[in-house]
Amino acid sequence: MPRVACVYFPYLPTDRIRRHGEATMPADQPLVVISRSGARRWVSAIDRAARDVGLRVGMPASKAQAIIANLTMIDADPAADAAALERLALWVLRQYSPVVAVDGTDGIVIDTQGADHLRGGETMMVSGLVNSLRGRGLTARAAVADTWGAAHALTRLTEAGTTVVPVGGLSKAVVGLPIHCLRLPADTIQGLRVLGVETVGELSAMPRAPLTLRFGPEVARRLDQLFGRVAEPIEPLRTPELVAVSRDFQEPIGAAETIQKYVHRLARQLSAELEGRGLGVRRSDLVIHRVDNTRQCLRAGLAKPVRDPARLAKLLCDRIEQIDPGFGIEKMVLVAVMAEPLQERQTTASLMEEQVVDVTPLVDILGNRGQRLYRMTPVASDVPERSVTRIAPTAAATGADWAARWPRPSRLMARPEAIEVVALLPDQPPAVFTWRGKRRRVKRADGPERIFGEWWTRPREMQAVRDYFIVEDEQGERYWVYRAGDGIDPQTGSHRWFIHGVFG
């Protein structure tokens, strides 16, 4: 069953204004957006600070001014808000899912099928998305459910940052929701309330014929969409800068060999289009349109821009078994959702030509299978846990070199583990230490190597030091241990002992 995520921006106009510097005021200063219709002026959007002091969307502007003196008010700009929402949807399309569309004036809808596994699952995907938006100064809430209607309702009716409805748990999650979550006209909602209907569960228990006779077919249609009885396909966002090629079929296709043949043809067409624009593809989506008005998508990402149709087609065909043709495929679309400039480089002929192995095809294959690939690079820091970081497998060399003054363990622990030690202070290595419940007697030791705290990063490290020792037990196993502090002054550390690494 396809899964749908909705992202809701409760303060999109005010967040947009603050991001672009149109309102220069403290973050806790209330900000409202004012709309006009003739002589009437009302509040059409507020930020969190304005909500906390009692302002509400829809109240007259004069009343808002009476509540808060010197209230910052900015005229509404629906066109700018719509453009900002479309830019956000396009960013989500490139980063998260092949099928993304704008959901009303304040949200985005995402088909998560085939995209969530690359992010560690639905919960990790939506929490990462919300955190990324928060880092860009945007307040967002996200929900995942079996239908668009359910995800849309949950994002707007719950205060939780993320909500994930388990597969099959849709009815339990929505029966208690108020009826205004059904995306029905305001007069229809008012009419239903006159009848005493307040929740989705109460509405769904009513006979369909009287409802249709009085309110038309829209009420039943929205209910069926909410519970997944009627499909609500998402029309993917497509902009002119996205390069796309498509193929329609007079007779639906379904055989894997036929799908593979047309994937290669579309890859060649897309490569030709990209070559004409001087671009290479970094991320492409294969969108499968089935005859039952549903879609399936495959996404292929590449470590660097390429225009090789065989390489692109292979990445898609490797996962062709994930395509369920159903009653047949009537259309296939291949879209370059992320493209970058690509210039051809001429190779120099030489009798002694250096062989450079390109590992990016292997990186692309493993990455599209959901593997998280990276490589380690040194960082200029004496503190061991800060002296290394992860970078992309195909990133350029940073120019930093590994420190060679003292030997370092082949296995460095992410977090030092506390050990019990018998040692003479202040400069003697451990004679005996206990780690993970096992007592080890030290046969040989080397040290200490003193490492000072980085006072320019945190004031607490002004006097902090560590004394590291390489110790070897009776079985010949070597460990990297340290004492927090200089062994004399308590202000330099707790004088507790830790193990930080193991030598191979």
Side-chain angles (χ1 to χ4, degrees):
M1 177 183 290
R3 299 277 282 172
V4 179
C6 280
V7 183
Y8 169 53
F9 301 93
Y11 311 113
L12 179 63
T14 54
D15 284 347
R16 176 188 63 80
I17 290 168
R18 289 187 186 274
R19 286 186 70 203
H20 291 278
E22 298 175 34
T24 54
M25 83 284 285
D28 57 350
Q29 174 70 29
L31 169 67
V32 298
V33 177
I34 303 299
S35 292
R36 303 170 184 266
S37 179
R40 180 170 174 260
R41 298 166 65 243
W42 72 94
V43 176
S44 60
I46 61 176
D47 65 356
R48 188 186 299 273
R51 186 198 66 176
D52 292 342
V53 296
L55 301 187
R56 296 292 180 266
V57 173
M59 69 166 42
S62 57
K63 183 177 180 180
Q65 285 180 301
I67 295 175
I68 302 178
N70 300 322
L71 176 66
T72 302
M73 300 190 299
I74 294 181
D75 291 335
D77 190 349
D81 295 335
L85 187 61
E86 184 173 328
R87 287 194 300 270
L88 288 170
L90 188 59
W91 175 77
V92 174
L93 170 70
R94 288 170 172 162
Q95 299 294 331
Y96 286 90
S97 173
V99 180
V100 177
V102 172
D103 183 19
T105 60
D106 53 9
I108 296 171
V109 59
I110 308 167
D111 186 344
T112 65
Q113 185 179 19
D116 58 302
H117 77 283
L118 297 175
R119 301 279 178 171
E122 292 174 342
T123 302
M124 293 292 292
M125 175 180 172
V126 293
S127 60
L129 174 56
V130 169
N131 289 334
S132 296
L133 292 168
R134 185 181 296 118
R136 289 167 170 78
L138 295 168
T139 304
R141 299 200 293 263
V144 183
D146 293 336
T147 64
W148 182 350
H152 174 94
L154 290 169
T155 55
R156 288 155 175 80
L157 296 175
T158 60
E159 291 293 330
T162 59
T163 304
V164 178
V165 179
V167 176
L170 177 65
S171 297
K172 183 178 179 181
V174 301
V175 290
L177 297 180
I179 56 175
H180 69 259
C181 73
L182 289 172
R183 296 173 289 171
L184 292 169
D187 56 345
T188 302
I189 296 294
Q190 184 61 32
L192 290 170
R193 286 175 174 164
V194 170
L195 297 178
V197 180
E198 293 292 340
T199 67
V200 170
E202 295 171 350
L203 181 61
S204 62
M206 296 181 67
R208 289 291 181 92
L211 284 175
T212 303
L213 184 63
R214 180 164 183 174
F215 299 105
E218 185 69 6
V219 174
R221 186 176 74 91
R222 287 301 191 187
L223 269 177
D224 289 338
Q225 288 176 343
L226 178 68
F227 287 100
R229 295 187 285 262
V230 173
E232 188 175 8
I234 302 171
E235 188 62 36
L237 176 68
R238 295 291 181 259
T239 58
E241 61 266 19
L242 294 181
V243 184
V245 294
S246 62
R247 179 64 182 259
D248 295 281
F249 305 106
Q250 294 181 350
E251 295 292 334
I253 65 172
E257 296 81 6
T258 307
I259 297 173
Q260 186 172 356
K261 178 179 70 174
Y262 285 107
V263 167
H264 280 84
R265 291 185 181 180
L266 289 173
R268 288 194 291 269
Q269 295 177 24
L270 183 65
S271 298
E273 289 285 339
L274 292 170
E275 185 177 6
R277 305 188 187 194
L279 300 174
V281 63
R282 281 289 309 276
R283 192 164 294 151
S284 64
D285 293 336
L286 178 65
V287 184
I288 307 295
H289 296 255
R290 304 196 313 187
V291 295
D292 59 355
N293 199 28
T294 60
R295 296 182 181 87
Q296 283 188 298
C297 298
L298 293 180
R299 168 160 286 188
L302 298 108
K304 63 181 182 181
V306 299
R307 259 197 318 261
D308 183 359
R311 183 169 162 187
L312 177 59
K314 175 176 172 51
L315 293 177
L316 294 169
C317 291
D318 281 349
R319 293 184 292 147
I320 208 168
E321 71 278 357
Q322 299 179 13
I323 298 176
D324 179 13
F327 296 105
I329 298 171
E330 62 181 1
K331 184 179 181 181
M332 294 172 60
V333 182
L334 185 59
V335 187
V337 295
M338 183 181 292
E340 297 178 358
L342 176 64
Q343 297 180 352
E344 300 292 346
R345 291 182 298 177
Q346 183 177 0
T347 58
T348 305
S350 172
L351 294 176
M352 299 295 294
E353 196 168 296
E354 183 179 358
Q355 228 21 50
V356 179
V357 179
D358 187 6
V359 299
T360 53
L362 177 61
V363 170
D364 294 337
I365 292 173
L366 296 176
N368 283 279
R369 291 177 181 173
Q371 303 294 327
R372 294 181 178 270
L373 303 177
Y374 59 88
R375 78 173 196 265
M376 310 303 291
T377 187
V379 177
S381 176
D382 287 332
V383 180
E385 57 266 34
R386 301 175 191 165
S387 64
V388 63
T389 189
R390 297 179 181 182
I391 60 174
T394 58
T398 60
D401 198 4
W402 299 100
R405 298 188 301 272
W406 289 81
R408 292 291 183 260
S410 56
R411 177 191 167 197
L412 187 69
M413 296 178 179
R415 293 178 179 271
E417 298 183 15
I419 57 177
E420 296 179 4
V421 169
V422 175
L424 294 177
L425 296 180
D427 296 325
Q428 296 301 312
V432 177
F433 70 95
T434 303
W435 177 46
R436 295 181 179 177
K438 184 177 179 181
R439 185 179 175 90
R440 295 169 170 84
R441 185 175 297 277
V442 175
K443 188 177 180 180
R444 297 182 182 87
D446 188 18
E449 174 195 356
R450 177 158 293 183
I451 293 178
F452 292 89
E454 296 177 340
W455 54 266
W456 56 90
T457 60
R458 291 189 302 177
R460 289 189 302 170
E461 299 185 23
M462 178 71 72
Q463 295 178 309
V465 297
R466 293 178 184 174
D467 283 342
Y468 279 86
F469 295 86
I470 301 174
V471 298
E472 181 180 331
D473 65 9
E474 294 175 324
Q475 284 73 39
E477 296 179 350
R478 296 190 301 154
Y479 306 92
W480 205 38
V481 302
Y482 74 86
R483 182 190 61 240
D486 60 5
I488 300 175
D489 188 355
Q491 293 186 354
T492 61
S494 64
H495 293 169
R496 296 176 59 198
W497 288 82
F498 299 84
I499 184 169
H500 204 163
V502 179
F503 290 88

